[in-house]
Amino acid sequence: MTKMFCFQCEQTAGGKGCTNKGVCGKIPEVANKHDALTCLLIDLAKAADGKGLSGKAHDLIVQSLFATVTNVNFDERRIEDFIQLVESEKALIGCTEKTPADFLWSGDSDIVSLRSTLLLGLRGMSAYAWHAKILGKEDKEVTSWFVKGLKSLGEEHTVDEWLALIMEFGQINLKCMALLDEANTSAYGHPEPSKVSTLIEKGPFIVISGHDLHDLELLLEQTRETGVNVYTHGEMLPAHGYPKLKKYPHLKGNFGTAWQNQQAEFDNVPAAFLFNTNCIMSQKPSYQNRVFTTDIVGFPGLTHIPSTNGTKDFSPVIEKALELGGYSEDTLHTGVNGGTNLLTGFARNTVLSVADKVVDAVKSGAIKHFFLVGGCDGARPGRNYYTDFVLKTPADSVILTLACGKYRFNDLDLGNIGGLPRIMDMGQCNDAYSAIQVAVALADVFKCSVNDLPLTLVLSWYEQKAVCILLTLLSLGIKNIYIGPSLPAFLSPNVLGVLVDKFGLTPISTPEGDLKAILG
Ligand code: SF4
């Protein structure tokens, strides 16, 4: 008998599903509570139909879904708290329905696959919706679609109906990403090209990991004139491009590489670490006492910094950094390929501000192809493909990138084309919105469809935010996307067949083979 079931991420056991314990470290008790919480949300959504829900209940739905995303919350007690809160909301609207917890993964394999695809997309979108909400932005259509989507999960649909729901979801997620883009840029300005050092200066420091820029701002305010420097980690790197964040002189640089290297990179480092979204991993004893969580993130045994009336007190994190004292002299860390500077800040505003240069370069033949090589990084072998792919791209091509998959190559200097660097980091995973805007604008200039541009998307996926982005790209009709390093276990052969036939979704093979197929 299996103790749990989860196949939501790329590193799932045997490429099929985690059944005893998650490869990520998720224990069965937590996995089963994630399922129970999800089923309660389905009940709540079904009962809310026609009655409406309070703003508090909508927030709870988004937070609860976010808590079930890979590498976010491993704390059984915190998941139980969410369960109790959802039970209370159910009671408030007189909902007595109870979907059995094994419902999610039971039944016809194609239906389970389609249901899972929508559920995992909703989980991914919840992270974006929550980050936007923290910055005071909400979109009624997005908010209400969480209820529609959850309700749909609990209903029966034909295959065609499921596919239509999934495409509708992709369009809603585009709205959600636009909302977060607006939230981030209205709060912190439009990202600007920025060079980020990997040198760690002597003295106390805090490393902040995750996506939530508001937490970084609060931390920077609270560390002013304390002598504590702040470094970004993982998906926080693009924060250096935002004018209102880069103005803080003690936001010094970036520490480490992508999430899956944290156990090696944090080992014995004299700093405090703060996780504000995914991806937290179990800690080695050498640094466990200096890791803090906040917001939806949870891990048993770690100190959690709660939010009170919209603010947070990061004193315990700052005191830990001061107690540890940091390095006694400047210490140089490097990127994966030995580089010591990273470039970021090439979001839509920057790229579109030089659109005429880009268009001229395409017309003159200086730029022959664009690649979007991005997505999540991960621990499983096979991800060197992305480094090799980028290294083998011809000198007359441009590589747009985003999310933490870029750490495989973002310390490389591949030169410039027409004054622009060949590798341009557009930001976090949600900045896929920026990439879409650039592609649509180029298609407009060249009077063609995005599919007719000399542009190929080569994506790496790991968790559920990659799922919601992929569904958005497919809902926009973008074809021939390359995806790897392996295909999602939740796609049944028949569902995968539909995606291959309809959209030309292509598993990666070898960099040489794929480049030949793309460029001819
Ligand atoms: Fe397994 Fe991934 Fe689920 Fe963790 S999140 S239990 S590794 S499938």
Side-chain angles (χ1 to χ4, degrees):
M1 196 181 131
T2 59
K3 296 180 182 164
M4 59 180 273
F5 186 76
C6 183
F7 61 174
Q8 68 176 355
C9 82
E10 195 268 337
Q11 67 179 1
T12 195
K16 293 196 168 124
C18 297
T19 53
N20 283 317
K21 186 182 177 188
V23 175
C24 61
K26 185 158 73 174
I27 59 172
E29 290 78 3
V30 173
N32 292 328
K33 281 207 157 62
H34 282 178
D35 289 353
L37 177 57
T38 306
C39 289
L40 286 170
L41 294 173
I42 292 171
D43 294 337
L44 181 65
K46 281 166 89 175
D49 198 24
K51 292 185 189 161
L53 286 172
S54 66
K56 190 168 135 256
H58 280 294
D59 284 353
L60 180 60
I61 287 173
V62 171
Q63 290 173 293
S64 300
L65 283 168
F66 192 179
T68 63
V69 169
T70 298
N71 288 348
V72 173
N73 200 314
F74 294 85
D75 191 337
E76 195 181 344
R77 200 175 35 85
R78 296 264 311 280
I79 304 302
E80 183 58 37
D81 289 345
F82 280 119
I83 286 175
Q84 293 308 324
L85 290 168
V86 180
E87 290 276 24
S88 303
E89 289 298 335
K90 274 182 67 182
L92 269 180
I93 56 168
C95 169
T96 52
E97 194 166 339
K98 195 151 181 57
T99 301
D102 64 353
F103 160 78
L104 294 173
W105 324 118
S106 310
D108 174 84
S109 61
D110 294 331
I111 297 300
V112 171
S113 175
L114 290 159
R115 187 196 295 138
S116 303
T117 302
L118 182 58
L119 168 61
L120 302 184
L122 284 165
R123 285 181 175 175
M125 183 169 81
S126 69
Y128 298 152
W130 188 239
H131 297 320
K133 180 72 197 266
I134 283 170
L135 289 169
K137 300 285 181 194
E138 200 171 359
D139 179 314
K140 281 206 170 68
E141 206 182 346
V142 172
T143 306
S144 57
W145 219 92
F146 280 108
V147 177
K148 175 174 179 176
L150 283 164
K151 176 174 167 279
S152 304
L153 293 176
E155 297 169 339
E156 289 190 11
H157 307 283
T158 64
V159 169
D160 284 345
E161 285 166 351
W162 276 114
L163 289 169
L165 271 168
I166 288 167
M167 289 301 108
E168 188 181 324
F169 165 78
Q171 287 296 297
I172 293 294
N173 185 54
L174 179 66
K175 284 204 162 83
C176 189
M177 288 197 292
L179 182 73
L180 181 53
D181 178 278
E182 190 200 336
N184 285 337
T185 54
S186 59
Y188 305 115
H190 282 277
E192 302 163 347
S194 306
K195 193 156 129 183
V196 183
S197 172
T198 60
L199 178 86
I200 310 299
E201 295 184 15
K202 69 178 181 184
F205 67 105
I206 294 169
V207 173
I208 178 168
S209 187
H211 301 70
D212 193 315
L213 301 180
H214 183 57
D215 277 336
L216 174 61
E217 183 189 18
L218 291 177
L219 183 65
L220 288 167
E221 276 297 322
Q222 292 178 30
T223 44
R224 264 178 196 268
E225 293 167 20
T226 60
V228 175
N229 288 328
V230 176
Y231 292 83
T232 55
H233 172 262
E235 276 282 73
M236 196 56 84
L237 164 64
H240 290 275
Y242 287 88
K244 287 192 184 153
L245 295 173
K246 65 191 281 191
K247 71 175 187 190
Y248 290 91
H250 58 297
L251 176 61
K252 290 288 183 182
N254 190 70
F255 176 93
T257 55
W259 69 272
Q260 77 279 0
N261 300 323
Q262 65 191 256
Q263 288 167 332
E265 291 175 346
F266 292 7
D267 200 13
N268 287 313
V269 170
F273 298 94
L274 174 65
F275 280 87
N276 76 5
T277 63
N278 57 320
C279 301
I280 191 167
M281 298 172 78
S282 60
Q283 308 86 45
K284 283 188 173 179
S286 75
Y287 68 88
Q288 190 171 36
N289 68 347
R290 56 198 70 169
V291 181
F292 297 80
T293 61
T294 191
D295 209 56
I296 311 294
V297 187
F299 205 98
L302 300 185
T303 303
H304 185 75
I305 309 291
S307 172
T308 314
N309 299 326
T311 191
K312 294 179 181 180
D313 179 3
F314 287 120
S315 304
V317 190
I318 298 166
E319 280 159 21
K320 179 57 79 177
L322 288 166
E323 175 198 321
L324 291 164
Y327 292 121
S328 55
E329 54 190 50
D330 291 356
T331 303
L332 188 60
H333 290 243
T334 67
V336 167
N337 305 287
T340 55
N341 282 302
L342 314 171
L343 267 180
T344 190
F346 291 89
R348 66 190 162 91
N349 235 39
T350 294
V351 177
L352 293 178
S353 71
V354 292
D356 51 343
K357 264 192 193 175
V358 175
V359 169
D360 286 349
V362 173
K363 284 183 176 161
S364 71
I367 296 177
K368 290 219 169 58
H369 207 88
F370 296 90
F371 295 97
L372 175 66
V373 186
C376 336
D377 208 350
R380 287 220 308 200
R383 287 184 180 262
N384 281 349
Y385 167 94
Y386 296 95
T387 321
D388 296 342
F389 185 93
V390 166
L391 282 169
K392 288 179 180 1
T393 53
D396 54 10
S397 63
V398 165
I399 292 121
L400 302 171
T401 189
L402 46 83
C404 67
K406 63 177 166 257
Y407 280 101
R408 298 262 164 185
F409 49 81
N410 69 344
D411 60 331
L412 291 169
D413 181 358
L414 295 190
N416 296 287
I417 298 183
L420 292 168
R422 277 197 58 219
I423 300 180
M424 289 192 265
D425 174 13
M426 306 193 87
Q428 299 178 340
C429 54
N430 44 287
D431 294 309
Y433 175 73
S434 234
I436 291 167
Q437 293 307 301
V438 168
V440 168
L442 285 178
D444 239 28
V445 172
F446 290 108
K447 303 203 183 325
C448 65
S449 76
V450 169
N451 286 322
D452 295 325
L453 287 171
L455 166 71
T456 308
L457 279 63
V458 184
L459 305 183
S460 54
W461 88 281
Y462 170 67
E463 41 85 345
Q464 298 77 60
K465 288 188 263 180
V467 176
C468 69
I469 292 169
L470 178 65
L471 298 180
T472 292
L473 295 170
L474 298 182
S475 77
L476 288 166
I478 296 176
K479 295 196 168 155
N480 304 322
I481 297 172
Y482 284 73
I483 186 163
S486 61
L487 291 168
F490 58 83
L491 293 182
S492 68
N494 286 335
V495 173
L496 180 63
V498 170
L499 298 183
V500 169
D501 286 350
K502 206 165 169 204
F503 299 104
L505 194 65
T506 309
I508 59 167
S509 60
T510 61
E512 300 82 359
D514 290 344
L515 276 167
K516 192 160 186 298
I518 294 164
L519 300 173

